[in-house]
Amino acid sequence: MATLVHPIAVAPGQRILRWLDDRNVLSFLFMLPAAGLLLMFLTYPLGLGVWLGFTDTRIGGPGIFIEFENYVSLAGDGVFWLSVFNTFLYTLIATVAKFALGLWLAILLNHNMPFKALIRAIVLLPYIVPTVLSALAFWWIYDAQFSIISYILERMGLITQYIDFLGVPSHARASLIVANVWRGIPFVAICLLAGLQTISPSLYEAAALDGASHWQRFRHVTAPLLMPILAVVLTFSVLFTFTDFQLVYAITRGGPVNSTHLMATLAFQRAIPGGRLGEGAAIATAMIPFLVAATALSYFGLQRRKWQHGEKDD
Amino acid sequence: MAYLETLPRRLVTVYLPLSIFLIVLLFPFVWMGVTTFKPNDELYNLSEHSPFWIKHPTLANINKLLFDTDYTDWLINTMIVSVVATFLSIFASVLAAYAITRLRFRGAQTVGLLIFLAYLVPPSILFIPLATIVVELGLYDTIWALVLTYPTFLIPFCTWLMMGYFKSIPYELEECALIDGASRIQILARITLPLAIPGLISAFIFAFTLSWNEFIYALTFVSSSENKTVPVGVLTQLVEGDVYHWGSLMAGALFGSLPVAIMYSFFVEHYVSSLTGAVKE
């Protein structure tokens, strides 16, 4: 009887297809391109960067391991500490402003009005357009001699002398923060708008019937329900502002006299034009602890389901 | 609640602040446009010419940009880099996202988390070691250095986006096909991917705009003018010493912004919904 059961002949092509249907084989093959590229150009350089921070590598020659020498010299480097101060100041002020204005804009956009879709599309433009190119527009707007802002203020009789936006350290910092906020508002506004639209209008109606004022409705309905999405957007915003390079490089290149360097621009300055790759890598590596802290904070924050559901912390 | 508000009140609380926001957000672009078409004698003589009007519009700035600089090279380079890096990343991301969400291999969740973390690694801490790798691979000063390094930020983003899309497609569809004897690859090609086309479009626009925007890698890995991308070229080649040719600079900024702005305007709804969807995930 056994002879009746012939093994089914399998063509070689079909054998490969069968083999490909094995979940683990297929998963491995599918993960290969992404994993290969990321390991080669992300994980490996990340490790290499930390290693370079412990060497005296220069452009054009291999370096030797020098332990913490880069970090020791950075600890006594005033420009480095100024860049750390600038990075925190820039991140703090820009983030607060972006969120305050972005939330306001989101609330405005959440009203019913004509041309709603068009207005929303226009709002996102600063976020779409290459940062460096809009930074150039700001550079021109901040020009010492032909600034349109100075021109308008002078015509209005508010100033008598053109403002030197980028020539004075404190002015230059403020100018950079304004440009960063301008670029960041759309992202915050559109994301928070999406959050606002998930809030049911009946909640507001119920609150209004109970006699809640505008502020009370915002405080007790909008704010808690918006919290989860706010937390995510905040994390992204802080990470990207903290590691920003483009705006500063395009507008001030760290000047006047190093006063607007962020850690990222200083790392570039020392490593590429300066040729000291090891020192630049050490500055870049010094940014990692902050990034890890910010990410972990938001990650664990989001894990707390209760908070996500809009209730207060215990 | 809007219907409870009176018109004058709405004008002050909604339309006025909204108009100010729109004016401020759009002004730099308007300014780029005005400067692009303005002759130099009007541009640099504010006492005789109002800055807001152009009395004699000129194409001289655009002419200078197109014929006296490598601008067209930069446009072509940016286009090639963006398209190739985008396709490469989407190919890798679709496969990875499918494996993570559908094949559910052992450790798929961990891999998903690692990809999310990869997205949080900023280019400004990778560019120094990447520069040394690019030199060692012999890719320094070629656009291929950019094509191969842009996926480091494109793949995590696209994979994340596609994972969300795949999750939204009912698994039952694939199970039916499996029972009917379709292979996994057939299922991906004939069932899942066609259903995920909106996701693919979003991934394409995002990846394309991100590549078009990229600056620090392009600044670090490419040095010859003819190999530069638009953002780097405009910033590093059009500024000669202390003399800024603002007309041409703004023309460069304007025309460098247009391709992404046009593409975005065609798919704006896609863009907004996936941007907000990705954040809500």
Side-chain angles (χ1 to χ4, degrees):
Chain A
M1 286 295 118
T3 50
L4 283 178
V5 185
H6 288 290
I8 301 161
V10 181
Q14 269 196 316
R15 201 175 299 158
I16 292 174
L17 277 182
R18 290 254 175 102
W19 181 67
L20 277 182
D21 257 8
D22 183 278
R23 271 201 318 170
N24 289 319
V25 173
L26 199 61
S27 299
F28 177 76
L29 288 177
F30 275 15
M31 286 307 302
L32 208 55
L37 278 166
L38 289 182
L39 286 174
M40 173 91 190
F41 294 111
L42 192 130
T43 318
Y44 170 58
L46 196 58
L48 183 62
V50 175
W51 162 255
L52 281 177
F54 292 107
T55 69
D56 63 355
T57 310
R58 283 164 177 271
I59 284 183
I64 53 159
F65 182 71
I66 52 165
E67 293 182 20
F68 288 94
E69 231 171 86
N70 284 327
Y71 293 95
V72 171
S73 82
L74 285 178
D77 182 341
V79 177
F80 170 72
W81 287 112
L82 184 62
S83 79
V84 174
F85 168 77
N86 285 339
T87 308
F88 277 91
L89 186 80
Y90 184 76
T91 310
L92 182 74
I93 300 181
T95 306
V96 170
K98 265 184 267 195
F99 274 77
L101 293 168
L103 180 61
W104 189 16
L105 181 56
I107 291 171
L108 293 174
L109 290 171
N110 202 26
H111 284 81
N112 252 323
M113 66 185 84
F115 308 114
K116 199 158 63 173
L118 180 69
I119 294 174
R120 280 176 200 173
I122 293 174
V123 162
L124 256 180
L125 263 184
Y127 179 70
I128 310 299
V129 165
T131 311
V132 167
L133 302 183
S134 48
L136 277 172
F138 272 94
W139 197 21
W140 172 220
I141 288 171
Y142 291 146
D143 189 86
Q145 279 175 280
F146 302 103
S147 166
I148 186 65
I149 303 176
S150 293
Y151 175 87
I152 294 171
L153 292 178
E154 197 192 35
R155 282 293 153 110
M156 289 165 76
L158 294 174
I159 56 171
T160 50
Q161 211 182 354
Y162 271 33
I163 301 168
D164 190 3
F165 286 102
L166 303 176
V168 182
S170 58
H171 290 186
R173 284 191 199 112
S175 305
L176 287 175
I177 290 173
V178 168
N180 181 287
V181 171
W182 174 86
R183 192 193 173 276
I185 285 176
F187 175 72
V188 175
I190 295 294
C191 292
L192 294 186
L193 175 64
L196 285 177
Q197 287 178 336
T198 60
I199 301 174
S200 158
S202 59
L203 290 173
Y204 290 108
E205 276 158 26
L209 284 179
D210 288 344
S213 67
H214 265 287
W215 169 245
Q216 282 172 323
R217 270 178 266 160
F218 176 80
R219 169 74 188 77
H220 296 287
V221 181
T222 316
L225 289 174
L226 210 54
M227 220 27 115
I229 196 164
L230 197 87
V232 181
V233 182
L234 190 68
T235 315
F236 280 105
S237 176
V238 167
L239 280 178
F240 294 138
T241 315
F242 193 84
T243 58
D244 189 25
F245 173 83
Q246 305 196 26
L247 262 178
V248 177
Y249 188 80
I251 299 179
T252 67
R253 303 218 177 164
V257 219
N258 293 328
S259 62
T260 59
H261 264 308
L262 301 183
M263 290 167 84
T265 56
L266 189 67
F268 176 86
Q269 185 69 37
R270 298 271 165 96
I272 308 298
R276 295 193 297 276
L277 288 173
E279 197 181 326
I283 299 173
T285 307
M287 289 158 70
I288 295 177
F290 175 81
L291 299 178
V292 172
T295 314
L297 209 67
S298 70
Y299 180 74
F300 291 116
L302 287 170
Q303 290 293 300
R304 304 181 61 159
R305 304 292 302 170
K306 238 184 154 180
W307 182 52
Q308 230 177 3
H309 286 247
E311 288 169 38
K312 278 193 174 169
D313 284 342
D314 305 300
Chain B
M1 298 305 293
Y3 51 87
L4 291 181
E5 286 176 351
T6 57
L7 186 64
R9 195 187 150 84
R10 256 172 90 78
L11 277 178
V12 176
T13 60
V14 181
Y15 294 119
L16 182 69
L18 191 60
S19 318
I20 295 172
F21 266 114
L22 286 180
I23 290 170
V24 171
L25 289 178
L26 282 182
F27 182 75
F29 301 118
V30 174
W31 208 227
M32 273 185 208
V34 169
T35 311
T36 297
F37 296 103
K38 207 177 238 191
N40 279 343
D41 54 331
E42 286 184 38
L43 204 55
Y44 301 124
N45 192 346
L46 293 180
S47 50
E48 279 179 42
H49 303 278
S50 159
F52 298 102
W53 297 117
I54 312 175
K55 271 184 211 147
H56 307 285
T58 173
L59 294 178
N61 296 322
I62 299 172
N63 255 335
K64 182 179 182 319
L65 181 76
L66 292 183
F67 300 110
D68 292 351
T69 70
D70 294 326
Y71 196 73
T72 42
D73 283 343
W74 305 335
L75 272 177
I76 294 167
N77 289 337
T78 318
M79 192 63 84
I80 295 173
V81 169
S82 304
V83 169
V84 179
T86 297
F87 275 110
L88 187 66
S89 306
I90 290 184
F91 172 74
S93 303
V94 164
L95 294 182
Y98 188 78
I100 292 167
T101 53
R102 285 303 203 239
L103 300 176
R104 299 199 192 112
F105 57 93
R106 270 213 331 195
Q109 277 214 309
T110 319
V111 172
L113 181 68
L114 286 176
I115 289 203
F116 175 75
L117 289 179
Y119 180 60
L120 300 177
V121 178
S124 42
I125 62 174
L126 288 179
F127 73 96
I128 296 173
L130 264 179
T132 68
I133 295 172
V134 161
V135 170
E136 268 180 34
L137 290 176
L139 294 172
Y140 182 74
D141 202 15
T142 66
I143 57 172
W144 303 110
L146 308 181
V147 168
L148 284 176
T149 49
Y150 284 7
T152 54
F153 54 88
L154 299 180
I155 288 178
F157 190 85
C158 294
T159 306
W160 197 25
L161 205 105
M162 290 316 297
M163 279 167 64
Y165 258 89
F166 286 151
K167 275 184 203 149
S168 71
I169 298 169
Y171 191 51
E172 289 74 22
L173 288 173
E174 293 185 30
E175 275 178 335
C176 292
L178 262 184
I179 291 165
D180 287 344
S183 73
R184 296 271 187 183
I185 292 182
Q186 282 175 323
I187 294 174
L188 176 61
R190 303 228 183 117
I191 297 174
T192 319
L193 275 188
L195 286 170
I197 282 176
L200 288 172
I201 295 177
S202 312
F204 184 87
I205 309 168
F206 273 107
F208 186 84
T209 38
L210 281 175
S211 313
W212 197 278
N213 257 308
E214 207 288 326
F215 182 70
I216 191 165
Y217 290 169
L219 178 72
T220 315
F221 307 158
V222 174
S223 61
S224 322
S225 175
E226 67 268 20
N227 292 334
K228 285 183 174 171
T229 59
V230 172
V232 178
V234 171
L235 191 68
T236 57
Q237 302 295 129
L238 293 186
V239 181
E240 304 153 23
D242 284 340
V243 186
Y244 304 131
H245 300 280
W246 286 110
S248 305
L249 265 173
M250 289 299 108
L254 189 69
F255 292 114
S257 308
L258 279 180
V260 279
I262 291 169
M263 174 130 120
Y264 156 78
S265 65
F266 277 116
F267 297 103
V268 62
E269 283 307 312
H270 259 299
Y271 193 93
V272 173
S273 66
S274 41
L275 176 72
T276 53
V279 172
K280 271 192 282 184
E281 266 296 309

